[in-house]
Amino acid sequence: MTTRGGARPGPAPLGAVQAVGLLVLRNYLTYKKAWKLYLTGFLEPFLYLLSIGIGVGQLIDTFEFNGEPIPYAEFVAPAMLAASAMNGALMDSTFNVFFKLRYQKLYDQMLATPLTTADVARGEIAWGQLRGASYSAAFLLVMAGMGLVHSWWALLALPAALLIGFAFSAVCMAFTTYLTSWQDFEKITLVQLPLFLFSATFFPITALDPWARWLVEVTPLYRGVVLCRELVTGSVTSASAISVVYLLVMGVAGLLVVRRRLDRLLLP
């Protein structure tokens, strides 16, 4: 088919949902062949739960959260749930995005189609979010099977995990666009490990000095841990909205930066 002037019409633009669906399908087909690698994001927090939550929990009678005594395993498990969401999102939005952007040149090829940089950003973030959510859903089932869930509020822990995955996917992908070599990934590890260890995952934040407590309270994984812990234990308060707003703003800000960076890196 040609236009009146003889030129062939360009490809029709895709809707946002259709474009995201295509990118998610592409990633699914890729990971379908390497499903064993997919398990790593789930196994790490699961093993931490068994070794520290269950193992160390044998040495501790109860732990206090929001004024209520709870078994130590029930204190640690929601933190591992939040960590699962973070790990799944982080793996895809850093290492995989860097390889596609700097070496595989996959995004350059995608922009030769009706896809836009906004579609690429939304699609990759959606995939990272889905990966983190699948880890979290599996982890939530494990928690329920181990008798670590006692409130119907825990059903909302899965949407909370989606929110955590969205926030980390967007910000980590934005950060990855600034990386220039594989050695730069040590900077991510330098941030990820302290986040994992000190976001009230294994001990209450009240054990820290006031200045350190304030520092931890403004970190994103802490907000995710607190939100999941409040939902799983049924201790939901109006303060829970702070964590929701924090993670939502973080994700939207990251998405805007990713779009801007991809425009600068990929478009002439």
Side-chain angles (χ1 to χ4, degrees):
M1 178 181 177
T2 59
T3 63
R4 182 176 298 177
R8 291 182 178 277
L14 296 173
V17 175
Q18 190 180 6
V20 169
L22 283 174
L23 280 162
V24 169
L25 177 61
R26 186 261 172 204
N27 285 333
Y28 165 73
L29 294 175
T30 301
Y31 272 98
K32 192 177 177 182
K33 299 175 183 175
W35 61 270
K36 292 179 182 177
L37 298 176
Y38 193 80
L39 298 177
T40 56
F42 168 76
L43 287 178
E44 183 178 336
F46 178 63
L47 293 176
Y48 270 108
L49 175 63
L50 292 182
S51 64
I52 298 180
I54 305 299
V56 177
Q58 300 296 320
L59 308 175
I60 304 172
D61 290 334
T62 58
F63 232 63
E64 188 171 298
F65 178 65
N66 281 355
E68 296 291 333
I70 60 173
Y72 184 63
E74 294 182 19
F75 179 84
V76 172
M80 296 301 100
L81 177 67
S84 292
M86 180 188 75
N87 287 343
L90 191 144
M91 289 297 291
D92 262 301
S93 57
T94 55
F95 293 97
N96 292 340
V97 166
F98 182 77
F99 180 72
K100 294 172 186 175
L101 179 65
R102 299 292 182 181
Y103 293 92
Q104 197 177 29
K105 302 297 182 184
L106 181 65
Y107 300 142
D108 296 87
Q109 300 168 39
M110 287 181 174
L111 294 181
T113 70
L115 294 174
T116 66
T117 53
D119 295 329
V120 172
R122 285 192 291 259
E124 291 290 3
I125 291 170
W127 171 251
Q129 199 177 359
L130 286 175
R131 184 171 177 175
S134 63
Y135 290 152
S136 301
F139 199 85
L140 198 57
L141 288 175
V142 169
M143 288 171 58
M146 294 174 68
L148 301 176
V149 177
H150 303 291
S151 170
W152 286 104
W153 280 103
L155 293 175
L156 293 179
L158 187 56
L162 278 170
L163 185 58
I164 296 168
F166 169 59
F168 276 96
S169 285
V171 169
C172 289
M173 188 174 176
F175 181 73
T176 301
T177 61
Y178 289 96
L179 303 183
T180 57
S181 70
W182 292 109
Q183 284 72 28
D184 289 338
F185 280 86
E186 293 180 8
K187 299 172 185 174
I188 294 177
T189 305
L190 195 63
V191 175
Q192 181 190 9
L193 188 59
L195 271 183
F196 179 66
L197 293 177
F198 295 102
S199 294
T201 43
F202 300 109
F203 55 87
I205 195 172
T206 52
L208 300 173
D209 291 335
W211 67 268
R213 193 183 310 170
W214 179 88
L215 190 64
V216 169
E217 284 177 344
V218 297
T219 58
L221 184 57
Y222 173 76
R223 303 310 328 175
V225 167
V226 167
L227 182 60
C228 288
R229 188 169 285 149
E230 288 172 340
L231 290 169
V232 171
T233 59
S235 304
V236 180
T237 65
S238 57
S240 304
I242 296 175
S243 300
V244 173
V245 172
Y246 179 107
L247 294 169
L248 188 61
V249 170
M250 175 180 164
V252 171
L255 180 59
L256 293 175
V257 174
V258 170
R259 167 75 186 281
R260 187 173 178 179
R261 286 289 300 163
L262 290 181
D263 281 348
R264 179 170 296 182
L265 293 172
L266 299 175
L267 297 180

